[in-house]
Amino acid sequence: MNESDSAGGGATTGTAGGSGNRATTTATRGTTAAGLPDRRIVRGEQRRREILRTAVEVFGEQGFRGSSLREIAARVGISEAGLLHHFGSKAGLLTATLEERDRRDLVRRTEDEAAGADLLTTIRDQVRRNAETPGLVSLHVVVAAEATDAAHPAHDVVRDRYRALRHQDDTRFQDAVARGELRPEVDPQAIGQLFSAVMDGLQLQWLLDPDNVDMVVLFDQFLALLRPEGSTPAAPAHRTTEQETA
C-alpha cells in the first residue's frame, strides 16, 4: 500500500498545439484539470477519517499514555510512518480526534437551532448522542483525567480544548436568556463552564455504572432547574437516520 497516497496534488501540465509552446494549468486543489475529484485527495481524506475512528477506539480503551501509534496504525492497516504523514505526532492525532468530535457536535447543534430547536434542547440532544457513543465518551473521560498531570504530553491539548469550550456559547446563552429560554438570573459567561462540569461528571458516573446512571434523564433534571417556570422547550424538525449518523 502506498503510504503517500494522500499527498496533495493539483498541478498538471500539458502541451498546447502550435509551435511546441507548453502551457501549464493548475487545477483547483482537490480536483484534476478536468474538474474531477483528485483520487489522491479523496483517498487521503478517507484514510484520515479511518485513522480518526480507530484512534477514538484505542485512546478510549487504553488512554493516551497506554496507547501507541503503532497499534493504531496496525488496526488501520498502514505503517506508523504513514499515520505520522497525516497527523505529525501522537498529540497531533489526539488534537484532531477531539476537534473532529467538537466540530460535529457544534454543526449538529447549529443545524438543529436553525430547524427550530432552542439552545438547551440542542445541548440535551448532544448528551443523548454521547450516550449512544461510549467509545467517544471513554476517550474524553480517560484522556482528560490523565492530562490533569502538567507533565502529560496531552496536557496542553486538553487544557486548550477546555479553554475554547468554556466560552464557546456565551453569545448563544445570552440570546437564550433574552428569549426567555433560560432564567433571567443565569450568567451567560459562567453557565457554559457549569454545563461542562455537569456533562463531564455524568459521563464519568455513566461509564462506571451504566446500568444505574441514565445520563439523559439526569441531564433533563439539570435543565429543568435552568428553564423559567412554565416554559416549553422547542424541539427541532425530525432528523433522518442518515442525518443522525453523518
Side-chain angles (χ1 to χ4, degrees):
M1 184 176 295
N2 182 4
E3 297 301 342
S4 63
D5 62 0
S6 66
T12 59
T13 59
T15 56
S19 57
N21 295 329
R22 297 188 63 184
T24 301
T25 60
T26 302
T28 302
R29 180 172 177 79
T31 63
T32 65
L36 300 175
D38 188 322
R39 291 182 180 178
R40 292 172 299 176
I41 300 297
V42 172
R43 286 198 301 267
E45 286 302 313
Q46 290 173 339
R47 177 56 49 79
R48 190 175 188 277
R49 288 194 294 269
E50 185 179 2
I51 293 171
L52 288 175
R53 285 195 298 268
T54 305
V56 167
E57 296 173 0
V58 176
F59 286 147
E61 293 168 3
Q62 304 173 17
F64 183 81
R65 279 183 168 149
S67 60
S68 70
L69 292 181
R70 182 176 302 174
E71 178 172 353
I72 295 171
R75 290 196 190 186
V76 175
I78 62 176
S79 69
E80 187 174 342
L83 188 154
L84 290 172
H85 169 78
H86 290 273
F87 296 99
S89 67
K90 189 177 179 182
L93 175 57
L94 175 64
T95 300
T97 303
L98 295 174
E99 286 178 346
E100 178 63 12
R101 179 197 180 188
D102 293 338
R103 184 195 67 80
R104 290 191 178 195
D105 282 341
L106 185 58
V107 166
R108 283 171 173 161
R109 286 174 49 198
T110 301
E111 290 174 348
D112 284 347
E113 283 186 72
D118 64 31
L119 176 62
L120 298 190
T121 298
T122 67
I123 298 176
R124 190 259 189 195
D125 284 345
Q126 182 177 329
V127 173
R128 175 184 57 78
R129 289 193 299 271
N130 287 345
E132 297 168 354
T133 54
L136 279 172
V137 174
S138 179
L139 163 68
H140 169 75
V141 170
V142 172
V143 173
E146 288 181 341
T148 56
D149 179 358
H152 191 281
H155 175 79
D156 290 351
V157 172
V158 176
R159 180 203 60 202
D160 292 347
R161 175 179 180 269
Y162 271 105
R163 285 179 176 175
L165 292 177
R166 195 171 297 156
H167 297 293
Q168 169 183 279
D169 292 316
D170 282 1
T171 300
R172 279 184 165 93
F173 285 126
Q174 185 173 5
D175 292 343
V177 171
R179 291 193 300 266
E181 297 167 10
L182 283 169
R183 291 179 178 274
E185 63 270 24
V186 169
D187 182 349
Q189 294 189 332
I191 193 64
Q193 296 179 63
L194 292 176
F195 269 101
S196 291
V198 170
M199 292 169 77
D200 286 355
L202 287 175
Q203 288 176 161
L204 174 60
Q205 293 184 56
W206 176 67
L207 288 173
L208 288 169
D209 194 7
D211 292 334
N212 293 301
V213 176
D214 189 322
M215 281 200 298
V216 179
V217 170
L218 291 171
F219 195 73
D220 281 341
Q221 293 294 315
F222 172 63
L223 294 183
L225 299 175
L226 300 176
R227 293 186 185 277
E229 292 185 16
S231 65
T232 303
H238 177 69
R239 296 177 69 92
T240 66
T241 302
E242 290 77 10
Q243 288 174 320
E244 281 290 322
T245 57

